[in-house]
Structure formats: structure tokens, C-alpha cells
Amino acid sequence: MGQFQMIDLVSVINACTTGRAAGRLVSMAKAVEEWRVLTGDFISPDETVANALSPVALARGCAVLFDEQPGADILRTPWREA
């Protein structure tokens, strides 16, 4: 986590935490995207960013949903696939 600023990590988790009846939840797909927008870091791999964000979310009492998928940034629409 040396390359990431704690204030940025906490800000992202605060922005992405959803409150549910069963508890607070953080989607890593949403958190990684928020990280990119907040910091302008489009170079760090998604997995590295998620690994930095998840302990912060857990420390703040949130459940973490690892829903980030390789290639998720590629839009696939059924009507455009050949």
C-alpha cells in the first residue's frame, strides 16, 4: 500500500459504501472505478487497487464484494457481436 495515500483510500471507500439492512457493502468494481476518477491513476492494475482498498473497507466495518472482472471495461452488446 506504499504507493497509495491513505486519505485517498478512505475517501473512495466512503464514497462507495452502500448501506443495506444486512450491513455496509463495498463493491470493488465501483471502488476501483472511483479510485481511477479520484486519483487519475489509470496505470495500476485493478487487482492491485482492489488489494489496497479492501483492507480499508474491512477496517471500516464493511463487507467487500470482489466483483471486478478482467476485461470488464470492454463493452459487449449482444446485438453487435458477430
Side-chain angles (χ1 to χ4, degrees):
M1 249 190 317
Q3 67 187 13
F4 302 116
Q5 297 294 318
M6 183 58 72
I7 188 70
D8 292 337
L9 295 170
V10 171
S11 295
V12 168
I13 295 304
N14 286 341
C16 295
T17 300
T18 59
R20 302 274 186 225
R24 295 165 23 117
L25 176 71
V26 176
S27 157
M28 279 298 114
K30 183 177 177 183
V32 168
E33 182 62 29
E34 183 69 20
W35 171 264
R36 303 226 183 274
V37 170
L38 177 70
T39 66
D41 176 3
F42 293 93
I43 296 173
S44 297
D46 290 352
E47 182 178 306
T48 301
V49 176
N51 286 338
L53 289 165
S54 58
V56 175
L58 293 171
R60 298 185 63 78
C62 301
V64 177
L65 176 62
F66 290 98
D67 54 349
E68 190 65 22
Q69 298 179 6
D73 58 332
I74 300 170
L75 178 62
R76 292 194 177 120
T77 53
W79 58 88
R80 291 190 182 190
E81 291 183 13

